[in-house]
Amino acid sequence: GAIKISIRSYSANTGLNKPPKILITGGLGQLGVECAKHLRGKYGKDNVILSDIIKPSTEIFNDGPYIFADILDFKGLQKIVVDHRVDWLIHFSALLSAIGEQNVPLAVRVNIEGMHNVIELAKQYNLRIFVPSTIGAFGPDSPRNPTPNITVQRPRTIYGVSKVHAELLGEYYHYKFGLDFRCLRFPGVISSDPPGGGTTDYAIAIFHDVLRKGHYECYLKPDTRLPMMHVRDALRALSEYLEAPNEMLQRRVYNVTSMSFTPEELADEMFKYLPDFTLSYKPDSRQDIADSWPQVFDDSEARRDWNWKPEIDMDNLVKLMLKEVKEKII
Ligand code: AKB
C-alpha cells in the first residue's frame, strides 16, 4: 500500500514512476548546496547529484553524491547523464552580474556556450531542464516599478544578455522540439553562504561585516530599491515550479519575488535587533547596474498559474540571516 501511494504521488508531480534523478551544475555557487539539501529531503539523498569543477569541502563531499562536471565539455556531460540515468537538470553555472563585467569572454563561455551545451543535452536525452534567470535580464528601457513578466528587456550587462539568450533559447526549444524547459527570474537571493560577484550581494555582505566588524561600507546608494528573496523561498519556488504539471503552465519563464527594499530600509530593520553597528556608503560601478534593474518585480503570473506565494517577509528575512550568519562565523 505505502509504496503504491508514493509511486502515485511521484507520477502526479513529476511525470515519473520513481523519484527523479537530478543533476545540479554549478553546484558550489550560491544556490547549489542548499538546493541539493532541499531536493535530497524530497527525493532521497542518492537521487540528487551535485557537480562543479571545484574540489568540494569534506562536509559537502560527505553529504551526498558529488562529481566533476565541466559544462563546456559536451561529451563529459553526455557520459554523466548516461551513467547516472539523469532525468532532470538544474543548470546553475553562471558568472553573475558584477563579476561578468570584469571578464566578458569568460562570461560568454560559461553563460552562453555552457547554455548551448546543456540545452542540446536536455533535448538529446529528453531531460526536464531548469535554468535560473534574473531581474538582471531587464535594462534601462524596462518599466522598473513594477516590472511585468512580459515587457521590454534589453539589459546592459553580459550577465543580463546571457540570461535573455537563455530564456529565448529555452522557449524556442520548447516550442520547436517539445523540450520541458523551465525558467524562473529570481530577484536578489539572500543566503548565509558567501556572495559571489552579484550586484544584490550587499544584502548578504552587510550581515557578515556587521556581525564580524560592527561596520559595513555599502557599494550602493542608501535609496537603491531592488527586489529580494530569502534562499528558502527561492528554493521552494524552484521545486514547486519544477513539480508543476505542464498543463498548469502558460509560460516557460516566470518572474518570482518576495519583497523589495533599499540598503537604508534593510539597515533600519537590522537596527531593531542589533543597535550598535555603523554604516557608510561608497557607490561604485555596481550602482549603474542596479539603476538599470527592476525596483519592484511583478510575479502575479506565477501566483496565478502555479500558486506561487512567498512566505518570508523582511522581518523574518533579517531574523533568519542574523541567526544563520552568526552560526557560520562562529
Ligand atoms: C546578481 O546580483 O548578479 C544576482 C542576480 C540578481 O541575478 N544576484
Side-chain angles (χ1 to χ4, degrees):
I3 289 171
K4 259 192 205 135
I5 286 165
S6 76
I7 286 177
R8 215 180 297 133
S9 69
Y10 277 126
S11 60
N13 296 336
T14 64
L16 300 162
N17 59 5
K18 62 170 184 68
K21 197 80 181 263
I22 303 171
L23 175 68
I24 302 176
T25 71
L28 295 190
Q30 200 202 341
L31 298 176
V33 171
E34 285 299 311
C35 181
K37 251 184 228 156
H38 180 87
L39 296 177
R40 280 172 184 157
K42 259 182 134 151
Y43 301 123
K45 185 166 128 180
D46 293 332
N47 287 316
V48 181
I49 305 165
L50 210 49
S51 76
D52 209 309
I53 54 172
I54 303 168
K55 191 169 156 187
S57 68
T58 311
E59 197 192 332
I60 291 169
F61 191 74
N62 290 338
D63 237 28
Y66 185 93
I67 60 172
F68 174 89
D70 178 357
I71 52 145
L72 295 174
D73 170 17
F74 188 70
K75 271 211 148 47
L77 294 175
Q78 286 179 303
K79 179 164 168 30
I80 291 169
V81 169
V82 170
D83 288 352
H84 296 274
R85 307 188 64 243
V86 171
D87 301 300
W88 292 0
L89 185 63
I90 297 179
H91 179 52
F92 281 154
S93 311
L95 265 67
L96 297 185
S97 56
I99 197 100
E101 293 311 287
Q102 286 158 28
N103 196 341
V104 174
L106 184 64
V108 167
R109 290 210 74 202
V110 174
N111 296 17
I112 299 180
E113 288 175 35
M115 179 70 195
H116 293 170
N117 281 338
V118 296
I119 199 124
E120 258 307 308
L121 188 76
K123 171 173 167 264
Q124 239 178 50
Y125 294 100
N126 197 21
L127 312 177
R128 181 172 295 186
I129 176 174
F130 177 87
V131 182
S133 185
T134 160
I135 51 171
F138 296 89
D141 298 316
S142 311
R144 296 178 69 205
N145 188 347
T147 306
N149 217 93
I150 297 285
T151 187
V152 174
Q153 296 193 248
R154 314 201 79 78
R156 297 264 178 97
T157 61
I158 190 61
Y159 174 61
V161 169
S162 73
K163 288 299 185 181
V164 174
H165 169 264
E167 292 178 5
L168 294 177
L169 199 64
E171 281 183 3
Y172 174 78
Y173 270 63
H174 172 72
Y175 293 114
K176 175 96 177 171
F177 305 115
L179 180 71
D180 193 348
F181 170 79
R182 301 182 184 214
C183 173
L184 293 179
R185 293 194 191 113
F186 286 123
V189 175
I190 300 176
S191 66
S192 56
D193 285 337
T199 301
T200 56
D201 291 353
Y202 88 84
I204 301 172
I206 189 171
F207 288 95
H208 286 266
D209 281 17
V210 154
L211 286 170
R212 245 182 316 196
K213 305 186 288 198
H215 177 76
Y216 180 62
E217 183 172 277
C218 186
Y219 56 80
L220 296 181
K221 289 191 231 160
D223 61 348
T224 311
R225 183 171 305 283
L226 289 166
M228 299 279 183
M229 93 199 309
H230 187 266
V231 65
R232 217 184 273 173
D233 261 355
L235 295 175
R236 194 171 49 79
L238 189 159
S239 78
E240 287 176 10
Y241 179 48
L242 259 178
E243 283 201 350
N246 266 308
E247 308 81 72
M248 282 170 86
L249 307 181
Q250 309 270 337
R251 307 194 173 289
R252 310 314 294 187
V253 181
Y254 285 97
N255 293 356
V256 286
T257 192
S258 296
M259 65 193 90
S260 279
F261 56 72
T262 66
E264 197 168 38
E265 287 165 359
L266 177 60
D268 282 346
E269 194 67 39
M270 292 170 70
F271 279 129
K272 289 187 193 161
Y273 302 97
L274 210 72
D276 276 340
F277 70 90
T278 56
L279 200 61
S280 58
Y281 293 94
K282 197 177 170 204
D284 64 19
S285 56
R286 288 170 280 192
Q287 183 68 48
D288 300 330
I289 298 178
D291 286 341
S292 75
W293 282 4
Q295 296 177 317
V296 173
F297 218 28
D298 174 357
D299 61 1
S300 53
E301 299 208 9
R303 291 171 186 254
R304 180 198 66 200
D305 290 355
W306 48 276
N307 305 318
W308 161 242
K309 198 168 178 295
E311 278 173 3
I312 299 173
D313 62 11
M314 192 169 176
D315 184 42
N316 279 314
L317 176 130
V318 167
K319 279 195 225 151
L320 274 171
M321 280 297 282
L322 288 172
K323 181 172 157 284
E324 290 162 358
V325 174
K326 244 182 230 158
E327 284 164 9
K328 286 239 161 107
I329 57 186
I330 284 164

PDB file of all heavy atoms in Angstrom, residues 130-160:
ATOM      1  N   PHE A 130      15.882  23.018 -15.771  1.00  0.00           N
ATOM      2  CA  PHE A 130      15.625  24.297 -15.099  1.00  0.00           C
ATOM      3  C   PHE A 130      16.847  25.190 -15.219  1.00  0.00           C
ATOM      4  O   PHE A 130      17.968  24.779 -14.903  1.00  0.00           O
ATOM      5  CB  PHE A 130      15.308  24.091 -13.613  1.00  0.00           C
ATOM      6  CG  PHE A 130      15.105  25.405 -12.896  1.00  0.00           C
ATOM      7  CD1 PHE A 130      13.853  26.009 -12.881  1.00  0.00           C
ATOM      8  CD2 PHE A 130      16.155  26.051 -12.282  1.00  0.00           C
ATOM      9  CE1 PHE A 130      13.664  27.238 -12.257  1.00  0.00           C
ATOM     10  CE2 PHE A 130      15.979  27.281 -11.653  1.00  0.00           C
ATOM     11  CZ  PHE A 130      14.730  27.870 -11.637  1.00  0.00           C
ATOM     12  N   VAL A 131      16.628  26.433 -15.677  1.00  0.00           N
ATOM     13  CA  VAL A 131      17.704  27.418 -15.739  1.00  0.00           C
ATOM     14  C   VAL A 131      17.220  28.688 -15.038  1.00  0.00           C
ATOM     15  O   VAL A 131      16.163  29.218 -15.388  1.00  0.00           O
ATOM     16  CB  VAL A 131      18.059  27.758 -17.209  1.00  0.00           C
ATOM     17  CG1 VAL A 131      19.208  28.756 -17.276  1.00  0.00           C
ATOM     18  CG2 VAL A 131      18.418  26.500 -17.994  1.00  0.00           C
ATOM     19  N   PRO A 132      17.953  29.189 -14.041  1.00  0.00           N
ATOM     20  CA  PRO A 132      17.505  30.429 -13.413  1.00  0.00           C
ATOM     21  C   PRO A 132      17.783  31.634 -14.306  1.00  0.00           C
ATOM     22  O   PRO A 132      18.842  31.713 -14.930  1.00  0.00           O
ATOM     23  CB  PRO A 132      18.344  30.507 -12.131  1.00  0.00           C
ATOM     24  CG  PRO A 132      19.574  29.706 -12.413  1.00  0.00           C
ATOM     25  CD  PRO A 132      19.186  28.661 -13.429  1.00  0.00           C
ATOM     26  N   SER A 133      16.812  32.548 -14.391  1.00  0.00           N
ATOM     27  CA  SER A 133      17.076  33.868 -14.949  1.00  0.00           C
ATOM     28  C   SER A 133      16.990  34.853 -13.788  1.00  0.00           C
ATOM     29  O   SER A 133      17.044  34.439 -12.619  1.00  0.00           O
ATOM     30  CB  SER A 133      16.122  34.205 -16.087  1.00  0.00           C
ATOM     31  OG  SER A 133      16.505  35.448 -16.672  1.00  0.00           O
ATOM     32  N   THR A 134      16.823  36.121 -14.055  1.00  0.00           N
ATOM     33  CA  THR A 134      17.084  37.132 -13.024  1.00  0.00           C
ATOM     34  C   THR A 134      16.440  38.474 -13.353  1.00  0.00           C
ATOM     35  O   THR A 134      16.139  38.755 -14.522  1.00  0.00           O
ATOM     36  CB  THR A 134      18.622  37.318 -12.922  1.00  0.00           C
ATOM     37  OG1 THR A 134      18.934  38.567 -12.302  1.00  0.00           O
ATOM     38  CG2 THR A 134      19.268  37.345 -14.293  1.00  0.00           C
ATOM     39  N   ILE A 135      16.290  39.307 -12.330  1.00  0.00           N
ATOM     40  CA  ILE A 135      15.925  40.707 -12.562  1.00  0.00           C
ATOM     41  C   ILE A 135      16.947  41.380 -13.469  1.00  0.00           C
ATOM     42  O   ILE A 135      16.641  42.355 -14.137  1.00  0.00           O
ATOM     43  CB  ILE A 135      15.832  41.507 -11.231  1.00  0.00           C
ATOM     44  CG1 ILE A 135      17.103  41.314 -10.377  1.00  0.00           C
ATOM     45  CG2 ILE A 135      14.588  41.121 -10.455  1.00  0.00           C
ATOM     46  CD1 ILE A 135      17.185  42.237  -9.163  1.00  0.00           C
ATOM     47  N   GLY A 136      18.179  40.821 -13.515  1.00  0.00           N
ATOM     48  CA  GLY A 136      19.240  41.358 -14.379  1.00  0.00           C
ATOM     49  C   GLY A 136      18.969  41.160 -15.856  1.00  0.00           C
ATOM     50  O   GLY A 136      19.702  41.673 -16.698  1.00  0.00           O
ATOM     51  N   ALA A 137      17.911  40.416 -16.200  1.00  0.00           N
ATOM     52  CA  ALA A 137      17.546  40.240 -17.611  1.00  0.00           C
ATOM     53  C   ALA A 137      16.756  41.452 -18.132  1.00  0.00           C
ATOM     54  O   ALA A 137      16.285  41.448 -19.261  1.00  0.00           O
ATOM     55  CB  ALA A 137      16.744  38.961 -17.794  1.00  0.00           C
ATOM     56  N   PHE A 138      16.589  42.475 -17.273  1.00  0.00           N
ATOM     57  CA  PHE A 138      15.926  43.713 -17.697  1.00  0.00           C
ATOM     58  C   PHE A 138      16.970  44.836 -17.773  1.00  0.00           C
ATOM     59  O   PHE A 138      18.098  44.657 -17.300  1.00  0.00           O
ATOM     60  CB  PHE A 138      14.799  44.063 -16.729  1.00  0.00           C
ATOM     61  CG  PHE A 138      13.706  43.021 -16.749  1.00  0.00           C
ATOM     62  CD1 PHE A 138      13.766  41.924 -15.894  1.00  0.00           C
ATOM     63  CD2 PHE A 138      12.669  43.099 -17.657  1.00  0.00           C
ATOM     64  CE1 PHE A 138      12.784  40.931 -15.937  1.00  0.00           C
ATOM     65  CE2 PHE A 138      11.681  42.112 -17.708  1.00  0.00           C
ATOM     66  CZ  PHE A 138      11.749  41.023 -16.846  1.00  0.00           C
ATOM     67  N   GLY A 139      16.582  45.955 -18.362  1.00  0.00           N
ATOM     68  CA  GLY A 139      17.548  47.042 -18.560  1.00  0.00           C
ATOM     69  C   GLY A 139      16.898  48.399 -18.437  1.00  0.00           C
ATOM     70  O   GLY A 139      15.739  48.517 -18.030  1.00  0.00           O
ATOM     71  N   PRO A 140      17.649  49.454 -18.821  1.00  0.00           N
ATOM     72  CA  PRO A 140      17.176  50.819 -18.606  1.00  0.00           C
ATOM     73  C   PRO A 140      15.877  51.170 -19.345  1.00  0.00           C
ATOM     74  O   PRO A 140      15.187  52.111 -18.947  1.00  0.00           O
ATOM     75  CB  PRO A 140      18.333  51.684 -19.101  1.00  0.00           C
ATOM     76  CG  PRO A 140      19.263  50.785 -19.818  1.00  0.00           C
ATOM     77  CD  PRO A 140      19.008  49.399 -19.369  1.00  0.00           C
ATOM     78  N   ASP A 141      15.543  50.423 -20.408  1.00  0.00           N
ATOM     79  CA  ASP A 141      14.283  50.714 -21.123  1.00  0.00           C
ATOM     80  C   ASP A 141      13.088  49.961 -20.534  1.00  0.00           C
ATOM     81  O   ASP A 141      11.951  50.153 -20.980  1.00  0.00           O
ATOM     82  CB  ASP A 141      14.422  50.343 -22.604  1.00  0.00           C
ATOM     83  CG  ASP A 141      15.499  51.152 -23.291  1.00  0.00           C
ATOM     84  OD1 ASP A 141      15.543  52.383 -23.050  1.00  0.00           O
ATOM     85  OD2 ASP A 141      16.311  50.578 -24.044  1.00  0.00           O
ATOM     86  N   SER A 142      13.329  49.078 -19.568  1.00  0.00           N
ATOM     87  CA  SER A 142      12.240  48.287 -18.986  1.00  0.00           C
ATOM     88  C   SER A 142      11.496  49.122 -17.946  1.00  0.00           C
ATOM     89  O   SER A 142      12.123  49.929 -17.249  1.00  0.00           O
ATOM     90  CB  SER A 142      12.804  47.048 -18.280  1.00  0.00           C
ATOM     91  OG  SER A 142      13.710  46.348 -19.095  1.00  0.00           O
ATOM     92  N   PRO A 143      10.185  48.921 -17.806  1.00  0.00           N
ATOM     93  CA  PRO A 143       9.479  49.554 -16.692  1.00  0.00           C
ATOM     94  C   PRO A 143      10.018  48.973 -15.381  1.00  0.00           C
ATOM     95  O   PRO A 143      10.215  47.765 -15.284  1.00  0.00           O
ATOM     96  CB  PRO A 143       8.015  49.147 -16.911  1.00  0.00           C
ATOM     97  CG  PRO A 143       8.046  48.028 -17.884  1.00  0.00           C
ATOM     98  CD  PRO A 143       9.327  48.095 -18.646  1.00  0.00           C
ATOM     99  N   ARG A 144      10.286  49.839 -14.408  1.00  0.00           N
ATOM    100  CA  ARG A 144      11.014  49.361 -13.213  1.00  0.00           C
ATOM    101  C   ARG A 144      10.128  49.180 -11.994  1.00  0.00           C
ATOM    102  O   ARG A 144      10.546  48.555 -11.023  1.00  0.00           O
ATOM    103  CB  ARG A 144      12.128  50.355 -12.857  1.00  0.00           C
ATOM    104  CG  ARG A 144      13.188  50.456 -13.933  1.00  0.00           C
ATOM    105  CD  ARG A 144      14.242  51.476 -13.556  1.00  0.00           C
ATOM    106  NE  ARG A 144      15.053  51.042 -12.435  1.00  0.00           N
ATOM    107  CZ  ARG A 144      15.690  51.877 -11.615  1.00  0.00           C
ATOM    108  NH1 ARG A 144      15.573  53.174 -11.771  1.00  0.00           N
ATOM    109  NH2 ARG A 144      16.432  51.399 -10.635  1.00  0.00           N
ATOM    110  N   ASN A 145       8.944  49.764 -12.000  1.00  0.00           N
ATOM    111  CA  ASN A 145       8.121  49.666 -10.790  1.00  0.00           C
ATOM    112  C   ASN A 145       6.645  49.755 -11.145  1.00  0.00           C
ATOM    113  O   ASN A 145       6.105  50.844 -11.222  1.00  0.00           O
ATOM    114  CB  ASN A 145       8.518  50.790  -9.815  1.00  0.00           C
ATOM    115  CG  ASN A 145       7.844  50.618  -8.470  1.00  0.00           C
ATOM    116  OD1 ASN A 145       6.916  49.823  -8.314  1.00  0.00           O
ATOM    117  ND2 ASN A 145       8.299  51.384  -7.487  1.00  0.00           N
ATOM    118  N   PRO A 146       5.986  48.622 -11.362  1.00  0.00           N
ATOM    119  CA  PRO A 146       6.532  47.270 -11.315  1.00  0.00           C
ATOM    120  C   PRO A 146       7.049  46.816 -12.684  1.00  0.00           C
ATOM    121  O   PRO A 146       6.713  47.409 -13.710  1.00  0.00           O
ATOM    122  CB  PRO A 146       5.316  46.440 -10.917  1.00  0.00           C
ATOM    123  CG  PRO A 146       4.160  47.174 -11.542  1.00  0.00           C
ATOM    124  CD  PRO A 146       4.534  48.632 -11.569  1.00  0.00           C
ATOM    125  N   THR A 147       7.836  45.727 -12.689  1.00  0.00           N
ATOM    126  CA  THR A 147       8.315  45.106 -13.922  1.00  0.00           C
ATOM    127  C   THR A 147       7.500  43.848 -14.198  1.00  0.00           C
ATOM    128  O   THR A 147       7.587  42.878 -13.448  1.00  0.00           O
ATOM    129  CB  THR A 147       9.813  44.722 -13.781  1.00  0.00           C
ATOM    130  OG1 THR A 147      10.551  45.874 -13.371  1.00  0.00           O
ATOM    131  CG2 THR A 147      10.358  44.193 -15.100  1.00  0.00           C
ATOM    132  N   PRO A 148       6.663  43.872 -15.243  1.00  0.00           N
ATOM    133  CA  PRO A 148       5.807  42.707 -15.522  1.00  0.00           C
ATOM    134  C   PRO A 148       6.579  41.549 -16.148  1.00  0.00           C
ATOM    135  O   PRO A 148       7.740  41.695 -16.520  1.00  0.00           O
ATOM    136  CB  PRO A 148       4.768  43.251 -16.490  1.00  0.00           C
ATOM    137  CG  PRO A 148       5.356  44.464 -17.092  1.00  0.00           C
ATOM    138  CD  PRO A 148       6.458  44.958 -16.207  1.00  0.00           C
ATOM    139  N   ASN A 149       5.882  40.390 -16.253  1.00  0.00           N
ATOM    140  CA  ASN A 149       6.508  39.198 -16.822  1.00  0.00           C
ATOM    141  C   ASN A 149       6.962  39.411 -18.265  1.00  0.00           C
ATOM    142  O   ASN A 149       8.042  39.013 -18.663  1.00  0.00           O
ATOM    143  CB  ASN A 149       5.519  38.036 -16.751  1.00  0.00           C
ATOM    144  CG  ASN A 149       6.209  36.726 -16.441  1.00  0.00           C
ATOM    145  OD1 ASN A 149       6.316  36.341 -15.285  1.00  0.00           O
ATOM    146  ND2 ASN A 149       6.733  36.063 -17.444  1.00  0.00           N
ATOM    147  N   ILE A 150       6.072  40.056 -19.046  1.00  0.00           N
ATOM    148  CA  ILE A 150       6.397  40.298 -20.459  1.00  0.00           C
ATOM    149  C   ILE A 150       6.513  41.798 -20.675  1.00  0.00           C
ATOM    150  O   ILE A 150       5.552  42.544 -20.489  1.00  0.00           O
ATOM    151  CB  ILE A 150       5.271  39.758 -21.377  1.00  0.00           C
ATOM    152  CG1 ILE A 150       5.126  38.242 -21.250  1.00  0.00           C
ATOM    153  CG2 ILE A 150       5.522  40.162 -22.825  1.00  0.00           C
ATOM    154  CD1 ILE A 150       6.202  37.448 -21.927  1.00  0.00           C
ATOM    155  N   THR A 151       7.712  42.242 -21.042  1.00  0.00           N
ATOM    156  CA  THR A 151       7.931  43.662 -21.307  1.00  0.00           C
ATOM    157  C   THR A 151       9.268  43.820 -22.045  1.00  0.00           C
ATOM    158  O   THR A 151       9.927  42.829 -22.356  1.00  0.00           O
ATOM    159  CB  THR A 151       7.923  44.471 -19.985  1.00  0.00           C
ATOM    160  OG1 THR A 151       7.967  45.858 -20.291  1.00  0.00           O
ATOM    161  CG2 THR A 151       9.096  44.115 -19.090  1.00  0.00           C
ATOM    162  N   VAL A 152       9.658  45.057 -22.311  1.00  0.00           N
ATOM    163  CA  VAL A 152      10.974  45.317 -22.910  1.00  0.00           C
ATOM    164  C   VAL A 152      12.059  44.793 -21.974  1.00  0.00           C
ATOM    165  O   VAL A 152      11.968  44.972 -20.764  1.00  0.00           O
ATOM    166  CB  VAL A 152      11.161  46.843 -23.089  1.00  0.00           C
ATOM    167  CG1 VAL A 152      12.569  47.164 -23.576  1.00  0.00           C
ATOM    168  CG2 VAL A 152      10.125  47.406 -24.041  1.00  0.00           C
ATOM    169  N   GLN A 153      13.127  44.159 -22.536  1.00  0.00           N
ATOM    170  CA  GLN A 153      14.221  43.693 -21.683  1.00  0.00           C
ATOM    171  C   GLN A 153      15.521  44.473 -21.939  1.00  0.00           C
ATOM    172  O   GLN A 153      15.859  45.346 -21.193  1.00  0.00           O
ATOM    173  CB  GLN A 153      14.375  42.173 -21.812  1.00  0.00           C
ATOM    174  CG  GLN A 153      13.103  41.468 -21.281  1.00  0.00           C
ATOM    175  CD  GLN A 153      13.239  39.974 -21.061  1.00  0.00           C
ATOM    176  OE1 GLN A 153      12.627  39.201 -21.754  1.00  0.00           O
ATOM    177  NE2 GLN A 153      14.028  39.563 -20.085  1.00  0.00           N
ATOM    178  N   ARG A 154      16.230  44.208 -23.005  1.00  0.00           N
ATOM    179  CA  ARG A 154      17.426  44.959 -23.391  1.00  0.00           C
ATOM    180  C   ARG A 154      18.377  45.310 -22.239  1.00  0.00           C
ATOM    181  O   ARG A 154      18.649  46.483 -21.958  1.00  0.00           O
ATOM    182  CB  ARG A 154      17.029  46.247 -24.124  1.00  0.00           C
ATOM    183  CG  ARG A 154      15.961  46.041 -25.193  1.00  0.00           C
ATOM    184  CD  ARG A 154      15.924  47.127 -26.215  1.00  0.00           C
ATOM    185  NE  ARG A 154      16.957  46.962 -27.189  1.00  0.00           N
ATOM    186  CZ  ARG A 154      16.896  46.095 -28.198  1.00  0.00           C
ATOM    187  NH1 ARG A 154      15.847  45.321 -28.351  1.00  0.00           N
ATOM    188  NH2 ARG A 154      17.879  46.004 -29.041  1.00  0.00           N
ATOM    189  N   PRO A 155      18.907  44.279 -21.544  1.00  0.00           N
ATOM    190  CA  PRO A 155      19.866  44.521 -20.452  1.00  0.00           C
ATOM    191  C   PRO A 155      21.186  45.072 -20.969  1.00  0.00           C
ATOM    192  O   PRO A 155      21.502  44.917 -22.142  1.00  0.00           O
ATOM    193  CB  PRO A 155      20.064  43.123 -19.856  1.00  0.00           C
ATOM    194  CG  PRO A 155      19.748  42.184 -20.970  1.00  0.00           C
ATOM    195  CD  PRO A 155      18.664  42.852 -21.766  1.00  0.00           C
ATOM    196  N   ARG A 156      21.971  45.686 -20.086  1.00  0.00           N
ATOM    197  CA  ARG A 156      23.262  46.284 -20.461  1.00  0.00           C
ATOM    198  C   ARG A 156      24.453  45.592 -19.807  1.00  0.00           C
ATOM    199  O   ARG A 156      25.546  46.131 -19.799  1.00  0.00           O
ATOM    200  CB  ARG A 156      23.273  47.757 -20.064  1.00  0.00           C
ATOM    201  CG  ARG A 156      22.235  48.597 -20.780  1.00  0.00           C
ATOM    202  CD  ARG A 156      22.818  49.313 -21.995  1.00  0.00           C
ATOM    203  NE  ARG A 156      21.780  50.074 -22.672  1.00  0.00           N
ATOM    204  CZ  ARG A 156      21.568  51.371 -22.487  1.00  0.00           C
ATOM    205  NH1 ARG A 156      22.324  52.048 -21.651  1.00  0.00           N
ATOM    206  NH2 ARG A 156      20.597  51.990 -23.146  1.00  0.00           N
ATOM    207  N   THR A 157      24.222  44.417 -19.177  1.00  0.00           N
ATOM    208  CA  THR A 157      25.363  43.629 -18.675  1.00  0.00           C
ATOM    209  C   THR A 157      25.445  42.350 -19.502  1.00  0.00           C
ATOM    210  O   THR A 157      24.434  41.883 -20.033  1.00  0.00           O
ATOM    211  CB  THR A 157      25.168  43.210 -17.201  1.00  0.00           C
ATOM    212  OG1 THR A 157      23.990  42.393 -17.099  1.00  0.00           O
ATOM    213  CG2 THR A 157      25.050  44.411 -16.280  1.00  0.00           C
ATOM    214  N   ILE A 158      26.657  41.759 -19.556  1.00  0.00           N
ATOM    215  CA  ILE A 158      26.795  40.497 -20.296  1.00  0.00           C
ATOM    216  C   ILE A 158      25.980  39.404 -19.597  1.00  0.00           C
ATOM    217  O   ILE A 158      25.415  38.513 -20.238  1.00  0.00           O
ATOM    218  CB  ILE A 158      28.287  40.093 -20.498  1.00  0.00           C
ATOM    219  CG1 ILE A 158      28.396  38.915 -21.476  1.00  0.00           C
ATOM    220  CG2 ILE A 158      28.958  39.730 -19.188  1.00  0.00           C
ATOM    221  CD1 ILE A 158      27.879  39.184 -22.862  1.00  0.00           C
ATOM    222  N   TYR A 159      25.912  39.497 -18.281  1.00  0.00           N
ATOM    223  CA  TYR A 159      25.093  38.556 -17.495  1.00  0.00           C
ATOM    224  C   TYR A 159      23.631  38.622 -17.955  1.00  0.00           C
ATOM    225  O   TYR A 159      23.010  37.605 -18.258  1.00  0.00           O
ATOM    226  CB  TYR A 159      25.222  38.932 -16.021  1.00  0.00           C
ATOM    227  CG  TYR A 159      24.351  38.176 -15.052  1.00  0.00           C
ATOM    228  CD1 TYR A 159      24.453  36.796 -14.904  1.00  0.00           C
ATOM    229  CD2 TYR A 159      23.444  38.866 -14.233  1.00  0.00           C
ATOM    230  CE1 TYR A 159      23.670  36.118 -13.969  1.00  0.00           C
ATOM    231  CE2 TYR A 159      22.672  38.198 -13.297  1.00  0.00           C
ATOM    232  CZ  TYR A 159      22.781  36.821 -13.169  1.00  0.00           C
ATOM    233  OH  TYR A 159      22.010  36.165 -12.248  1.00  0.00           O
ATOM    234  N   GLY A 160      23.105  39.847 -18.034  1.00  0.00           N
ATOM    235  CA  GLY A 160      21.721  40.024 -18.457  1.00  0.00           C
ATOM    236  C   GLY A 160      21.494  39.543 -19.882  1.00  0.00           C
ATOM    237  O   GLY A 160      20.499  38.866 -20.182  1.00  0.00           O
TER     238      GLY A 160
END
